[in-house]
Every structure is written in structure tokens, then in C-alpha cells.
Amino acid sequence: MSNRPLLVFDFDGVIVDGMEEYWWSACLACLRLSAADGMRHQVPNRVPDGFRQLRPWIHHGWEMVLMASLLQERDGLLQRIGVDAFVAAYSEHCRQALEARDWSPQQLQEALEHVRHSAMAEDRSTWLNRHRPFAGVPQRLRSLASEGIDWAVLTTKGRAFTAELLDAFDLQPALLFGHEAGSKPDVLLRLIAEQSLCGFVEDRLATLETVLATPGLRSLPCFLAEWGYLRPSDRQALPQGVQLLGLTQFAAPLADWT
């Protein structure tokens, strides 16, 4: 392992915008769970506004599948109460929706990963083209080496999928951790015990709050990527230890971030 300091990045919402792929894969996973696998013509092409609005609350892949199912109901919970009311009790509404469908998070996660594996095997280029790196981010990641900094990716996406995308964008992190590696705080604790960490860049405020509440990580510099999938209130009254990071600031040397 390198002795150089390590800057750690989330993937979705920080490096890549995968909204089109999220919606397509989640819808197809719903079809698979409904024994309609292969009926890809049924997947709506346009990403609905409701899915974009819900994305900041989604933390795991299985939740995307559940949201796709809810959004495609004609007179379901989301249609009756609206997105704002749904996210006000997000966890409880997800639990109710799972129970109503007799689904489990593991079942949904496996369906999603099956869809992605199949898509990559059948038409890799089309699947990859459903993702877009955020403007300027790949170039900035490549330039970190000139500052003597290594960078790593820590994501709740599967490691294999993330590796495929990074390779497509010609990005080679020093380290890559998918959801198989464990929770983000646990991975960061293992990393910080082995080398110097100079920061963690994430677009989910709740994740940064959990990291900073973890003994051993409370002094880790945490940056909230404002170009990612932020909730409307995330930019307001940030907790101590979390700094909002815009693309202009991100392009500057790391020493100028704080």
C-alpha cells in the first residue's frame, strides 16, 4: 500500500450521474420480480420527476427497485400522498411497501444485480452509456497524483459494476470498495488504521453525519459534494465537520478546500 495520503470518494452522485441507468435497471428488476423478465419494452424510457426527487433519500440499490414499483402504480401510496409526505417517513413507508409486496431487501438487491450482470453481458456498451461522469470530475481525479495524493472509491454499488464504469471512464483508483466490503464507516476505520486519510467526499449528508459520529473518524475531514443528489435542506446549517464542496472549489488544490 502507498504511503501517500488517501482521499476517499463516494461513486454515485460524486463521480458519476447514473440516473438513467438507475431507472432502467430498477424497472427491469421489477419486471423480473413480477415474472415478466425480458419484457424490456415495458420499461418507460423517460426518468420520471418523482424518481429524481426520491433519489436523494435512496441509500441502497434495493430501494431503487422499490421506488420504481411504487412510481408505476396508478393509484398507490406515492400517488395519493406525494413525494414530500412519502420521504417525511421514508423508512416506515419503505417497510410498509415491502410488506405489501411480500418482498425483502435482499430479494430486490439480487434482482437488481441480476439485471445489471445480464445487461453487461448482453450489451456492455449500451449499459455503460447509461452513465455520465460529472463534468470536470474525472480530470480532477487524475490530477490528484500531481499533489502527491492517492484516491479511493467507497460505494454502496457492487464492486464489479463500479470497476466496469471506472474502467470505461479511464479512471484507476488506488483502492475500490463496493457494498460487499461492509459499511462506509467500517471501511474508513480500516483504512485510517493503515494510512493517512485526507478526506471523504460524499453527496449523502446522513452518511457523513454517521461517519463523524463514529469513534475513530470524528476528525476525518468530510466534504458534501453539492453537485450530487442532495436533498433540498442539505445545504443549510451543515453540522460541524462537514463542509460543502462545489465543483469550482473541487478543481482547486486540496489545501484550498477548507
Side-chain angles (χ1 to χ4, degrees):
M1 184 174 293
S2 170
N3 291 324
R4 300 199 298 185
L6 188 70
L7 188 57
V8 183
F9 293 85
D10 184 30
F11 187 72
D12 297 309
V14 175
I15 297 175
V16 68
D17 180 2
M19 192 70 70
E20 181 184 342
E21 190 275 337
Y22 302 152
W23 175 245
W24 184 86
S25 294
C27 287
L28 205 56
C30 286
L31 292 176
R32 176 173 171 77
L33 290 163
S34 304
D37 191 25
M39 299 174 66
R40 299 188 179 190
H41 62 278
Q42 293 188 9
V43 178
N45 290 323
R46 179 180 174 274
V47 180
D49 291 339
F51 191 76
R52 294 182 185 277
Q53 293 166 5
L54 287 162
R55 179 60 184 85
W57 279 266
I58 294 172
H59 187 41
H60 299 287
W62 67 264
E63 296 168 58
M64 297 194 308
V65 182
L66 187 60
M67 295 307 107
S69 176
L70 285 164
L71 284 163
Q72 292 181 83
E73 292 179 329
R74 292 189 177 182
D75 187 30
L77 179 63
L78 263 173
Q79 287 74 15
R80 293 195 303 271
I81 69 174
V83 170
D84 290 343
F86 185 91
V87 299
Y90 181 77
S91 296
E92 177 61 19
H93 286 141
C94 285
R95 184 191 66 78
Q96 292 174 3
L98 287 170
E99 288 185 357
R101 291 159 173 75
D102 195 26
W103 286 348
S104 70
Q106 181 180 2
Q107 183 182 13
L108 271 62
Q109 188 70 38
E110 289 175 353
L112 180 66
E113 296 194 13
H114 174 85
V115 165
R116 285 172 164 165
H117 276 299
S118 297
M120 289 166 61
E122 294 170 11
D123 192 345
R124 180 177 180 271
S125 62
T126 297
W127 183 80
L128 291 171
N129 286 335
R130 296 184 190 278
H131 305 78
R132 298 287 186 275
F134 288 102
V137 171
Q139 296 89 334
R140 181 65 182 102
L141 292 174
R142 296 186 194 104
S143 73
L144 287 169
S146 65
E147 297 178 57
I149 298 168
D150 285 334
W151 62 280
V153 171
L154 173 54
T155 177
T156 55
K157 188 185 286 291
R159 189 185 190 281
F161 302 129
T162 307
E164 284 277 346
L165 288 164
L166 286 166
D167 184 63
F169 302 147
D170 192 26
L171 291 171
Q172 291 83 38
L175 297 167
L176 169 58
F177 303 93
H179 68 76
E180 306 90 342
S183 72
K184 290 181 178 179
D186 286 346
V187 174
L188 289 169
L189 280 171
R190 295 200 298 269
L191 285 173
I192 207 168
E194 298 172 352
Q195 67 185 109
S196 173
L197 298 188
C198 51
F200 177 42
V201 182
E202 161 76 61
D203 76 318
R204 191 170 186 268
L205 181 58
T207 298
L208 294 178
E209 291 173 331
T210 299
V211 166
L212 289 173
T214 302
L217 297 176
R218 290 171 179 163
S219 62
L220 178 66
C222 287
F223 302 94
L224 181 66
E226 70 169 350
W227 60 87
Y229 309 126
L230 271 60
R231 297 171 297 182
S233 62
D234 283 346
R235 294 176 175 83
Q236 304 166 8
L238 291 176
Q240 185 175 1
V242 177
Q243 181 166 330
L244 192 65
L245 182 67
L247 282 170
T248 300
Q249 189 177 14
F250 179 54
L254 180 61
D256 297 338
W257 287 15
T258 58

